[in-house]
Amino acid sequence: AAAAAAAEPEAFESECDDDDEACLIKEAMARAKEEKKRQRKKQRKKTNGSVSSSVPKDALSGDSTSSGISASEDAEDSRDAKVAAYDSLGTVAVTTKDARRLFASLFASNAERFDVVDVDSFGSDNFIDDALRVTKLGGYCYATGTDALALCGKNPPRLLSHYGGAFVVPNVSAVNETGLRVFVGDAVRRGAAQGLKVTPAFSLFHPHGPVFRAMLKVEKLSGAWDGESIGFLAQCDACGDARVAESDEIRDGSCFCRRCAKRDAAEKTRMSVSGPLWTGPLHDAAAVAALAREAEEVDFCGGDDEGRFSGEDGGVPEEHELSSTKGQKASAKELLAAFAAEADPALPPFYRRTDELARAGRGLKHGIPPLDAWIAELQTRGFAACRSHLDARGLKSNAPLDDVVAAANAVAAAKNGGA
C-alpha cells in the first residue's frame, strides 16, 4: 500500500488499525460513490474482506483472514472518494489516473504486487495484459467484459481486434458459453505470453448486460506453454451435434460432422468453428467449495429469505432480483451449486439447448422431458450431466448426441406409461 501511494501522489489515504495479514486489492474503473452504495447493500454482516467488489483472498485460497486494501480509479470527485475511503475496512487509495498508466507505473517501479486485481471494464476494453503484470503469483485477476455483440460473434472486427484474433459463429446453440470461453481463453493466452499460468477459479455469465466475468488464478508457468485447454469448438447446423475440433482439422480446414457422415457416408457436412477458446472447466471445484463455505459463514446465502442474497432490511436487493425466465440462479447458494456441478472435468466445453434438440428430425419422439429427470437418466447411464448456469434450457453432458436423445425418449416413455 505504501509503494502504491508513493507512486501515486494524487491518491487519498486513510488508515484503519488491523493486525491481521493484509490483502492488497486493486480495482480499476470503479466509481467510489457507487462502490460505497453497493457494499452497504451487499454486506449485511461486515467481515475483514475487500471493500471493493472482489472476493476475499481467504475464500479462494484458504489463506488467513485479511483486511481490505483497495485502489480505485475514475472517481468522479475527490469528496466522494474520501468518504468511500474513510468508510472502508482498511487503507484505501483513490485516484482518477488513467488505469493503463497506473498499471504501467506500478509495474515499472517494481511496486508491491496485488493479491487481487479487479478490472471491471465496460464494453470490450481489454486490460488483461496490464492487470496480470501487477498481480502477485498465487493471486487473482477478476476480469469483466460486457460487449456481448463481440463475444457472441455479431461484431467480428471488434472480436478479432480485442480478443486475440478469435472468431465466434453467431446465432448458434450455446453461444453464451462460447463467448465466455473465448473471454477466458484470451486471458489464458495473454498470461502464457508473460510466462504465467492463468486458470479460472470461477466464471460467470449474467444476461442483464450481458456480462461475462472470470476470477482468474495467476501462477508462474512451469516450462514452455503447450496450449493445454485451448482449442476450437465445432458445431453442426444440420444435426445439432457439437464437439472439440482436432488441431489437424483446423489446420486443414477439414472439420466435418462425423454424426452426419454415419447417416450418409457420401455427404460431408462442414461444421461451423469458433475459437480459440478455453476448453477446460470454467470453475475450480476446490475454489467453489471454499466460496460456498465462506458464503454460509458471512450469510451471503441469506438464511432469512430461503437462500437469497439479503439486503439491509432482510429483503432482496434490487441488483440481485434475478429473472428465472432468463435462467439465472436466484441465490448465491444455487449459483455456487451450479458452479460445483459444472466444475466436473468430464463435461464438454458446451451445452445443448433442449429446444434445439426438439427440432423436427433430431430424434425426440415425445417432446421435451423434464430437464432434471433427463439429467438423472443420463447419469444413470454412466454419463456426466448437469444443468448450465448460462441458460435455463442448457443441458451439459459428455454423452454423445444419440445417447442424449435416447435418454430423453426413455424419460418421456416412462412418463407416458411406456408408450
Side-chain angles (χ1 to χ4, degrees):
E8 179 43 69
E10 299 175 19
F12 175 82
E13 296 184 57
S14 66
E15 294 291 340
C16 177
D17 293 332
D18 195 322
D19 295 331
D20 293 334
E21 179 187 355
C23 178
L24 295 176
I25 297 174
K26 171 139 184 58
E27 180 164 3
M29 282 74 68
R31 295 184 183 275
K33 183 189 299 184
E34 293 305 313
E35 276 304 294
K36 179 181 175 184
K37 291 179 181 177
R38 181 167 55 168
Q39 200 63 23
R40 283 180 174 174
K41 288 182 179 180
K42 288 174 67 175
Q43 288 189 323
R44 294 176 60 207
K45 179 180 178 182
K46 285 196 174 183
T47 60
N48 287 334
S50 164
V51 200
S52 62
S53 57
S54 304
V55 177
K57 174 183 173 185
D58 54 304
L60 288 170
S61 62
D63 292 344
S64 61
T65 302
S66 50
S67 62
I69 300 179
S70 173
S72 303
E73 281 104 36
D74 198 29
E76 283 190 329
D77 72 60
S78 59
R79 180 179 179 181
D80 287 331
K82 292 180 181 181
V83 170
Y86 279 122
D87 201 39
S88 70
L89 300 176
T91 303
V92 176
V94 180
T95 177
T96 57
K97 258 195 171 184
D98 177 82
R100 293 192 194 278
R101 290 177 181 270
L102 187 56
F103 280 135
S105 66
L106 290 170
F107 177 70
S109 64
N110 288 320
E112 186 173 4
R113 301 296 185 259
F114 295 88
D115 296 287
V116 179
V117 178
D118 183 349
V119 188
D120 194 3
S121 56
F122 298 92
S124 54
D125 287 339
N126 198 325
F127 289 81
I128 292 296
D129 282 325
D130 309 272
L132 291 176
R133 291 190 180 97
V134 296
T135 304
K136 285 182 180 179
L137 296 180
Y140 296 87
C141 177
Y142 195 27
T144 302
T146 62
D147 191 347
L149 288 177
L151 287 168
C152 291
K154 292 189 176 181
N155 190 338
R158 179 161 294 185
L159 179 62
L160 284 166
S161 62
H162 285 70
Y163 295 100
F167 181 79
V168 173
V169 178
N171 304 320
V172 295
S173 180
V175 71
N176 293 340
E177 181 163 345
T178 301
L180 182 58
R181 288 182 174 277
V182 165
F183 181 71
V184 173
D186 175 70
V188 171
R189 291 185 292 136
R190 290 175 186 268
Q194 297 184 30
L196 301 172
K197 178 184 177 182
V198 177
T199 52
F202 66 83
S203 311
L204 171 69
F205 169 80
H206 197 295
H208 81 270
V211 178
F212 301 84
R213 297 188 189 275
M215 179 66 81
L216 304 163
K217 186 169 186 178
V218 180
E219 300 171 287
K220 185 175 179 59
L221 189 63
S222 178
W225 186 59
D226 60 2
E228 181 183 5
S229 297
I230 295 293
F232 293 81
L233 177 64
Q235 295 169 286
C236 179
D237 295 332
C239 73
D241 200 11
R243 61 180 174 84
V244 175
E246 303 291 341
S247 57
D248 59 341
E249 293 178 313
I250 300 300
R251 182 176 59 252
D252 302 337
S254 58
C255 192
F256 299 103
C257 181
R258 297 165 184 170
R259 187 168 183 261
C260 289
K262 289 180 181 179
R263 296 179 177 181
D264 186 352
E267 182 176 347
K268 289 186 176 181
T269 305
R270 190 177 295 276
M271 303 183 81
S272 301
V273 176
S274 299
L277 47 76
W278 173 255
T279 59
L282 286 172
H283 325 284
D284 176 72
V288 171
L291 284 169
R293 291 192 298 270
E294 179 79 7
E296 290 287 352
E297 290 174 7
V298 301
D299 202 22
F300 267 19
C301 286
D304 297 337
D305 195 32
E306 299 182 354
R308 290 178 178 269
F309 279 94
S310 296
E312 294 177 350
D313 60 355
V316 183
E318 183 179 351
E319 64 266 35
H320 296 305
E321 285 284 8
L322 304 180
S323 171
S324 60
T325 60
K326 292 187 176 181
Q328 284 299 142
K329 305 301 179 185
S331 72
K333 186 175 182 178
E334 290 176 331
L335 187 60
L336 289 170
F339 285 179
E342 291 176 340
D344 187 344
L347 292 170
F350 58 86
Y351 60 84
R352 305 182 193 274
R353 279 182 61 106
T354 55
D355 56 341
E356 288 290 326
L357 295 175
R359 286 172 56 181
R362 293 194 172 174
L364 294 191
K365 298 177 180 178
H366 307 287
I368 303 174
L371 185 52
D372 288 335
W374 195 346
I375 290 170
E377 178 64 24
L378 285 166
Q379 292 172 341
T380 299
R381 296 178 180 221
F383 299 108
C386 70
R387 286 176 174 266
S388 169
H389 87 270
L390 294 101
D391 195 321
R393 299 184 181 93
L395 167 61
K396 291 184 70 69
S397 178
N398 62 347
L401 183 53
D402 289 335
D403 290 283
V404 173
V405 171
N409 290 333
V411 171
K415 184 178 179 181
N416 295 333

